[in-house]
Amino acid sequence: MDPEDAAAAEAVEAHHTQLAGDLAGRVAMLIAAADRDPAAADRVRAELVTFCDRDLLPHATAEEETLYPVAYDLPAARLLIDGMLAEHRRLTALVDALRTAGSAVRAATDGRALQVLFEEHLQKENTLILPLLAGAPDISLAGLLAGMHDILGHEHGDAGEAATSGGGCGGTCGCGGSDETDVPELDVRDVPHSLRHATVFGAIAAVPSGRAMVLVAPHDPLPLLGQIEDRHPGAFAVEYLQRGPEAWRLLLTHR
């Protein structure tokens, strides 16, 4: 495989990780709000729809305009592309269902269905479509993707940095200003490592000023806290509620 094509495929996969994690975090907050505070769930739902309109659906459109027509000319991929296009239509239908959901429970159900379908869709792109394009001798994947920010993402390096970056805790304090019983909880211990940080970024994007969330992690998440501080300087106060050994529980309050 051409090194430039391999690098392009890795960039797309990194952006896929960022999108999938962001979606997962937002859906987790929607489900938590539907269970605890249906009024808050409507705001989280609206922000999730905005994320889909701004990032998820344009990504799908960019693929249809750039990658899919070229892949369709490969006999081995023709039926696969037909199926991927059908999945794009289902993704759009689920976003529209979220847009008009009449209850918090219905919104949470539609959001979870969207998350599952999108993750399965990205897995096919990562393991089937990208290798086919990158391995075709007469196709330049790097050339196809040149300047395509909706596919590569404006910050497609974030996913890789999330797995390796160091840094301080960023904004750690012991204010204890929120009632934990009224705060949604995000447990990332069972989230795949590659998606973990992106999932948290998506979740905290759904926390309004003056509210909080509880993060449950399998270790002290100092690099993650450093990244949150880099992204949102001074915006989140952090209080450790539990420091291991099996779980670290942190209260993140949006100032």
Side-chain angles (χ1 to χ4, degrees):
M1 183 184 299
D2 180 83
E4 290 186 358
D5 286 349
E10 289 178 1
V12 175
E13 291 181 17
H15 185 49
H16 284 170
T17 297
Q18 178 185 335
L19 283 172
D22 203 337
L23 177 61
R26 292 172 184 273
V27 170
M29 290 295 99
L30 176 59
I31 292 172
D35 182 53
R36 295 169 179 263
D37 188 352
D42 189 59
R43 175 191 53 79
V44 178
R45 176 198 59 79
E47 292 178 355
L48 174 57
V49 170
T50 297
F51 162 76
C52 292
D53 288 339
R54 184 191 66 229
D55 295 319
L56 191 152
L57 295 181
H59 178 83
T61 298
E63 290 173 334
E64 291 184 12
E65 295 174 348
T66 305
L67 298 183
Y68 286 10
V70 178
Y72 193 80
D73 289 336
L74 301 174
R78 192 157 297 167
L79 291 177
L80 174 61
I81 295 301
D82 284 339
M84 300 297 277
L85 289 168
E87 288 184 358
H88 279 185
R89 292 193 292 271
R90 290 199 292 274
L91 289 169
T92 300
L94 283 169
V95 173
D96 288 339
L98 264 174
R99 200 185 312 275
T100 58
S103 70
V105 172
R106 179 59 185 269
T109 302
D110 290 336
R112 178 59 177 157
L114 175 66
Q115 178 192 347
V116 170
L117 177 58
F118 189 61
E119 289 177 357
E120 292 176 349
H121 184 79
L122 294 185
Q123 180 69 9
K124 294 173 188 175
E125 289 182 344
N126 290 344
T127 61
L128 298 174
I129 294 176
L130 290 177
L132 278 172
L133 290 172
D138 57 342
I139 295 175
S140 170
L141 182 60
L144 287 174
L145 296 175
M148 296 300 297
H149 292 297
D150 286 330
I151 292 178
L152 296 178
H154 298 284
E155 299 176 356
H156 57 74
D158 286 354
E161 293 168 4
T164 60
S165 166
C169 63
T172 301
C173 77
C175 62
S178 298
D179 181 358
E180 184 191 342
T181 61
D182 295 329
V183 174
E185 182 174 286
L186 177 67
D187 189 338
V188 298
R189 287 176 293 177
D190 293 329
V191 175
H193 187 271
S194 62
L195 293 178
R196 197 171 288 163
H197 285 208
T199 300
V200 176
F201 297 148
I204 64 172
V207 178
S209 180
R211 302 296 292 272
M213 63 170 275
V214 171
L215 171 66
V216 183
H219 57 78
D220 193 352
L222 292 178
L224 171 63
L225 296 178
Q227 290 169 7
I228 292 174
E229 177 65 14
D230 289 342
R231 286 167 171 255
H232 310 281
F236 285 89
V238 181
E239 177 188 0
Y240 281 81
L241 304 174
Q242 179 182 345
R243 296 178 181 267
E246 296 182 356
W248 274 253
R249 300 180 73 251
L250 296 83
L251 182 69
L252 306 181
T253 304
H254 192 176
R255 295 187 173 108

